[in-house]
Amino acid sequence: MEYKSDLMEKIDASIAKKNQLIDAHFGRYAVRSILATLYLSLGSAIAIGLGLKFDGGVGKALYAFAFGLGLSLIIFLNAELGTSNMMYMSVAAYRKKLSVAKAAKILFVCVLFNLIGALVIAYLLSLTGAFNSLPADNFLVHIVEGKFEKGVIQTLVEAMFANIIVNLAILMSMKAKDDMARFSMILCVIFIFTFLGFEHVIANFIYFPLAFFTSGGAVAGMTVASVSTNIVLAFIGNFIGGGLVIGVTYAWLNKDQTVKYLD
């Protein structure tokens, strides 16, 4: 008989809700995926805005701290984020809660509508006073240009660590006793990957078009090939980190009937 921890019960319940929603109300699932990039874009916007206003280490620290606001909104308002679904769907397939094909479908749909939402929202943000008429060499462009300078291995490894951190924040929020504790945990854990500049595929869905629109396309190294390469590598690395290292590992750890992990 399989031991069922409180953590796995919560993850199983989330998987069941996602499966039910996409079957019964596909449009609502798509909208929840778009909302995820709306919330992440708002967190990214204030984070980038702080980076634009403050120079050096202070700006970088404020940027890293504020970015977690977007993930907080996603978790508290139950939006659908592709990188967290990498964990949920890997657990679903491993624990046979869903077929591999169904888990892959849910993940694909989520990521697709994350992308659609990111493109629209990035364009709309570029029309706001905070992002129009920016100098050519600004904080956002500097971040994006740096992504194109990374090699294959660096991008993969950074993406792996980024989604390990994101999904640890989600697991820790499940363990928190109240909303303030959840909120604090998310901000503090997400700070790690944003401060270190790791690669998050859904965040890049937002950053690339926003940098393009605000600079009029004048981003060094930005080509269809460089953007596509980053997105593919970041997706693979994020899946390894969130899906395999966190999702499958904790699902396997919690199969034991006598040892309790994160219970």
Side-chain angles (χ1 to χ4, degrees):
M1 178 174 141
E2 184 182 80
Y3 169 72
K4 199 164 191 177
S5 71
D6 287 345
L7 179 70
M8 285 298 113
E9 287 180 350
K10 291 177 181 178
I11 292 176
D12 286 349
S14 293
I15 291 167
K17 288 178 182 178
K18 294 171 190 291
N19 186 42
Q20 182 181 21
L21 183 62
I22 201 168
D23 283 343
H25 304 285
F26 183 90
R28 293 180 184 176
Y29 186 85
V31 169
R32 285 166 71 125
S33 300
I34 291 172
L35 286 175
T37 38
L38 170 62
Y39 302 152
L40 195 64
S41 295
L42 293 175
S44 299
I46 185 60
I48 293 166
L50 288 168
L52 290 167
K53 295 291 184 184
F54 296 90
D55 294 328
V58 173
K60 185 177 180 181
L62 290 172
Y63 157 78
F65 185 76
F67 184 88
L69 293 170
L71 185 63
S72 299
L73 288 170
I74 290 169
I75 292 174
F76 277 84
L77 298 177
N78 296 316
E80 291 291 317
L81 183 67
T83 44
S84 60
N85 271 335
M86 291 176 182
M87 175 185 72
Y88 284 114
M89 293 304 109
S90 294
V91 172
Y94 179 82
R95 290 167 59 79
K96 296 182 172 56
K97 300 298 178 181
L98 299 175
S99 68
V100 172
K102 186 61 178 293
K105 175 187 174 181
I106 293 173
L107 178 59
F108 173 79
V109 170
C110 180
V111 172
L112 174 62
F113 283 96
N114 283 169
L115 174 59
I116 293 170
L119 293 172
V120 174
I121 295 159
Y123 175 71
L124 294 175
L125 279 174
S126 73
L127 303 178
T128 65
F131 288 99
N132 61 23
S133 302
L134 290 177
D137 185 22
N138 63 66
F139 182 75
L140 171 60
V141 169
H142 177 71
I143 289 174
V144 171
E145 288 177 347
K147 293 177 182 295
F148 300 134
E149 296 172 357
K150 298 176 182 179
V152 171
I153 300 300
Q154 182 180 352
T155 302
L156 279 172
V157 172
E158 289 189 0
M160 180 186 72
F161 279 117
N163 213 25
I164 287 172
I165 293 165
V166 167
N167 284 287
L168 285 176
I170 291 168
L171 294 181
M172 289 181 69
S173 74
M174 291 180 184
K175 300 295 294 179
K177 302 301 181 184
D178 57 62
D179 287 343
M180 183 53 69
R182 292 175 71 198
F183 183 65
S184 300
M185 286 178 179
I186 294 166
L187 291 186
C188 291
V189 175
I190 294 302
F191 179 91
I192 300 170
F193 106 74
T194 46
F195 187 82
L196 294 174
F198 291 161
E199 297 293 321
H200 185 274
V201 66
I202 310 301
N204 288 351
F205 283 174
I206 300 162
Y207 279 44
F208 291 159
L210 184 58
F212 179 85
F213 292 135
T214 57
S215 69
V219 180
M222 178 178 278
T223 64
V224 172
S226 63
V227 170
S228 301
T229 298
N230 177 279
I231 293 299
V232 169
L233 293 175
F235 182 93
I236 294 170
N238 285 169
F239 183 80
I240 293 169
L244 304 182
V245 175
I246 298 299
V248 172
T249 297
Y250 274 103
W252 174 73
L253 287 172
N254 282 282
K255 285 183 68 174
D256 193 285
Q257 295 183 29
T258 58
V259 181
K260 302 180 181 181
Y261 292 90
L262 287 182
D263 208 12

